[in-house]
């Protein structure tokens, strides 16, 4: 049977009768459907069975040489070829059709058009809208794409391809921390840091039991805070070397050594002080004092204070490993 004839049959079986498709009636062996096909009972039964049979999978003796295939371990022995199944991923035309309709609605629907116009006019809108940057369209089939599928024909052969690109980092323009005596207050204003400190305090205020789950959760908060601190410090490393030598810089020496490491390439004395390795300990102490103040503001009790202080002492060993290399 040719592709065009197959699509015509598909269109026929999609027709609705009493809120049910003709294909459903064929699969259910509906007597009225069979009688409507032919006055000859034998011919009607043959056609009804043929229509119902289109849903049955057909054996494939060979695959195209360019078809994507992969071996999937279905057994226990990866050295036994018999424990593998050969999978051939197929193009999900029904999923592509749903995505196509959804994207078209988001791009050209009345609600989306109204919302975009409201944004241009700086006015409120009842609903938002979606954009799909770098959207591409792939054409399948000929000028009348009848040789692919009925759904592809309804799309005019168009199939959307969403952009699969790595994110582009947009710098917010980090400024040198001048006119301040410590960068930890600035560190504490970061959204992620505020969320972590509040989450830690709220968890400790629940008086959690002293068990493995509590230790793991507290350690998770400290690990995340230390990660944020290392990320925070690395943002200043992209500034022009020597910014900490500005007369407006009021940071203590240990924070200058921490945040302006490339200044040592021009100043031998600065490089020697950084190599001495004493400044990381002062940074850790400043970090601990800052965190202590944050938790005290949230009314953490003595028991909670002892709990996090013990965890902090161990976690600062991790920070000691990180600081000399940042």
């Amino acid at each position: 049977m040719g592709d065009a004839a197959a699509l015509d049959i598909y269109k026929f079986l999609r027709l609705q009768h009493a809120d049910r498709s003709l294909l459903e009636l064929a699969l259910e062996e509906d007597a009225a459907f069979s009688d409507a096909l032919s006055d000859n009972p034998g011919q009607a039964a043959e056609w009804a069975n043929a229509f119902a049979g289109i849903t049955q999978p057909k054996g494939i003796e060979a695959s195209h040489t360019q078809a994507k295939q992969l071996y999937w371990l279905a057994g226990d022995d990866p050295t036994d070829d018999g424990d593998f199944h050969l999978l051939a991923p197929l193009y999900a035309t029904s999923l592509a059709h749903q995505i196509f309709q959804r994207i078209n609605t988001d791009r050209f629907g009345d609600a989306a058009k109204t919302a975009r116009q409201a944004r241009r006019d700086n006015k409120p809108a009842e609903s938002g809208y979606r954009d799909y940057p770098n959207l591409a369209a792939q054409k399948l089939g000929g000028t009348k794409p009848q040789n692919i599928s009925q759904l592809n024909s309804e799309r005019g052969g168009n199939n959307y391809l969403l952009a699969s690109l790595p994110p582009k980092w947009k710098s917010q323009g980090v400024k040198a921390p001048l006119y301040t005596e410590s960068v930890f207050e600035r560190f504490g204003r970061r959204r992620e840091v505020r969320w972590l400190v509040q989450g830690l305090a709220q968890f400790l205020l629940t008086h959690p039991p002293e068990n493995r789950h509590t230790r793991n959760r507290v350690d998770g908060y400290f690990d995340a805070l230390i990660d944020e601190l290392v990320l925070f410090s690395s943002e200043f490393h992209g500034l022009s070397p020597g910014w900490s030598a500005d007369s407006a810089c009021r940071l203590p020496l240990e924070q200058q050594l921490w945040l302006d490491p490339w200044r040592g390439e021009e100043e031998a004395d600065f490089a020697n002080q950084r190599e001495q390795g004493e400044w990381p300990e002062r940074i850790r102490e400043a970090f601990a004092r800052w965190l202590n103040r944050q938790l005290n503001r949230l009314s953490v009790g003595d028991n909670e204070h002892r709990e996090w202080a013990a965890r902090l002492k161990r976690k600062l060993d991790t920070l000691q490993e990180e600081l000399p290399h940042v």
Side-chain angles (χ1 to χ4, degrees):
M1 182 182 294
D3 292 325
L7 292 177
D8 289 339
I9 293 175
Y10 180 79
K11 290 180 180 179
F12 170 70
L13 293 178
R14 287 184 64 191
L15 296 176
Q16 297 283 323
H17 174 71
D19 295 328
R20 297 162 72 188
S21 70
L22 298 186
L23 177 58
E24 291 175 318
L25 297 176
L27 292 172
E28 296 171 4
E29 299 181 356
D30 185 271
F33 172 72
S34 180
D35 293 341
L37 294 176
S38 175
D39 294 334
N40 185 329
Q43 183 68 70
E46 181 181 350
W47 285 349
N49 291 334
F51 290 143
I54 68 172
T55 61
Q56 299 300 317
K58 296 178 175 58
I60 301 177
E61 295 181 358
S63 176
H64 194 279
T65 56
Q66 295 183 355
K68 294 180 175 64
Q69 298 179 347
L70 59 92
Y71 284 96
W72 185 266
L73 181 62
D76 299 324
D77 186 1
T79 64
D80 184 359
D81 291 344
D83 279 357
F84 285 87
H85 285 174
L86 182 60
L87 304 182
L90 302 179
Y91 185 78
T93 183
S94 58
L95 175 60
H97 195 69
Q98 292 185 16
I99 293 175
F100 181 85
Q101 292 176 319
R102 178 62 178 270
I103 292 177
N104 269 0
T105 299
D106 291 339
R107 296 179 68 193
F108 310 117
D110 292 338
K113 291 180 179 178
T114 301
R116 288 190 177 90
Q117 186 61 48
R119 182 174 184 269
R120 288 191 290 267
D121 297 339
N122 197 25
K123 295 180 180 179
E126 295 183 358
S127 63
Y129 62 90
R130 298 181 181 89
D131 282 329
Y132 299 88
N134 301 315
L135 185 68
Q138 181 184 33
K139 276 281 190 178
L140 299 178
T143 56
K144 293 183 179 180
Q146 298 289 330
N147 59 337
I148 303 295
S149 70
Q150 174 60 31
L151 295 180
N152 184 74
S153 178
E154 293 179 6
R155 297 192 297 272
N158 291 303
N159 293 265
Y160 284 136
L161 300 176
L162 300 175
S164 180
L165 303 171
K168 293 183 179 180
W169 179 262
K170 293 183 179 180
S171 175
Q172 296 181 353
V174 177
K175 296 182 179 180
L178 306 178
Y179 306 103
T180 182
E181 297 179 356
S182 175
V183 294
F184 283 101
E185 294 304 319
R186 182 169 174 176
F187 171 69
R189 290 194 294 269
R190 293 167 69 97
R191 182 179 60 181
E192 294 81 2
V193 174
R194 293 199 309 269
W195 180 85
L196 289 169
V197 172
Q198 291 174 359
L200 173 61
Q202 291 171 1
F203 174 66
L204 295 178
L205 286 172
T206 63
H207 305 284
E210 297 183 4
N211 56 28
R212 176 171 57 86
H213 298 293
T214 297
R215 290 193 297 273
N216 290 342
R217 185 162 179 180
V218 172
D219 287 348
Y221 278 112
F222 280 113
D223 288 340
L225 279 170
I226 291 174
D227 288 343
E228 286 294 329
L229 186 63
V230 173
L231 178 62
F232 172 76
S233 65
S234 66
E235 293 177 354
F236 297 105
H237 296 172
L239 298 175
S240 299
W243 59 264
S244 60
D246 192 301
S247 60
C249 181
R250 302 173 184 173
L251 296 177
L253 179 60
E254 62 269 17
Q255 294 191 21
Q256 296 181 30
L257 296 170
W258 172 35
L259 302 175
D260 191 11
W262 312 120
R263 175 181 167 185
E265 295 183 353
E266 301 294 334
E267 299 181 26
D269 183 59
F270 190 88
N272 291 334
Q273 290 177 309
R274 198 170 195 277
E275 290 297 327
Q276 289 177 2
E278 298 178 357
W279 58 271
E281 177 61 28
R282 294 196 289 271
I283 294 296
R284 294 194 297 274
E285 292 174 355
F287 174 69
R289 289 194 300 271
W290 168 83
L291 183 56
N292 184 26
R293 290 195 301 271
Q294 305 309 307
L295 294 176
N296 284 340
R297 292 172 184 171
L298 296 171
S299 302
V300 175
D302 292 339
N303 292 335
E304 292 78 12
H305 182 276
R306 286 192 294 269
E307 173 69 19
W308 73 257
R311 301 274 176 249
L312 178 61
K313 186 177 185 300
R314 289 193 291 271
K315 286 300 174 182
L316 287 179
D317 293 339
T318 303
L319 185 58
Q320 181 177 11
E321 298 174 358
E322 296 287 350
L323 285 175
H325 303 288
V326 297

